[in-house]
Amino acid sequence: QVQLVESGGGLVQTGGSLRLSCAASGRTFSNYAMGWFRQAPGKEREFVAGISWSGDYTYYSDSVKGRFTASRDNAKNTVYLQMNSLKPEDTAVYYCAAHISATLRVGRRPNEFNYWGQGTQVTVSS
């Protein structure tokens, strides 16, 4: 089992920044690829960013590419999502998720991930 706990959400104005953190416990963190997803009211959960187990490879949805940056610190069992130039349409509950990966592959679909955090709310005011 892997337990994931997100933090860092909040209310920010358009153009502002937030840094989300996701602390993992339970298993060897470096065995897992990590993803960030978000879900707005009435919408499906969507992929935002992914990072390989080593941190060498990152992937982003088109809607956040160039504004968000995923990173990880395997020594601290933590993955981060730096969000800059935030827009009202970024408002959602943000989740981190994990799946075992012995390669550099990172899933993009929610059903590829085995473990999920409880989510943290990000609200961007216009």
Side-chain angles (χ1 to χ4, degrees):
Q1 285 281 7
V2 174
Q3 293 79 42
L4 303 173
V5 179
E6 302 98 334
S7 61
L11 174 64
V12 65
Q13 291 186 334
T14 295
S17 298
L18 283 174
R19 188 195 196 200
L20 305 184
S21 299
C22 173
S25 62
R27 292 290 178 95
T28 304
F29 182 63
S30 58
N31 288 344
Y32 291 83
M34 300 297 295
W36 287 97
F37 290 78
R38 67 186 181 187
Q39 189 166 19
K43 295 188 176 181
E44 293 187 353
R45 191 166 297 190
E46 65 170 347
F47 173 81
V48 174
I51 185 165
S52 62
W53 70 267
S54 63
D56 290 339
Y57 290 91
T58 53
Y59 309 86
Y60 302 95
S61 67
D62 289 342
S63 61
V64 307
K65 198 172 296 182
R67 300 188 297 123
F68 291 12
T69 303
S71 61
R72 66 190 293 164
D73 185 339
N74 285 345
K76 295 183 178 180
N77 290 355
T78 302
V79 62
Y80 306 96
L81 186 67
Q82 177 67 44
M83 306 186 295
N84 299 329
S85 303
L86 282 161
K87 306 175 182 180
E89 51 264 42
D90 295 318
T91 296
V93 177
Y94 283 70
Y95 300 88
C96 67
H99 70 77
I100 285 277
S101 181
T103 68
L104 296 174
R105 181 186 175 278
V106 181
R108 308 287 182 106
R109 298 185 300 273
N111 61 7
E112 296 182 89
F113 289 80
N114 308 106
Y115 304 101
W116 292 84
Q118 83 288 351
T120 186
Q121 177 70 46
V122 171
T123 303
V124 184
S125 64
S126 56

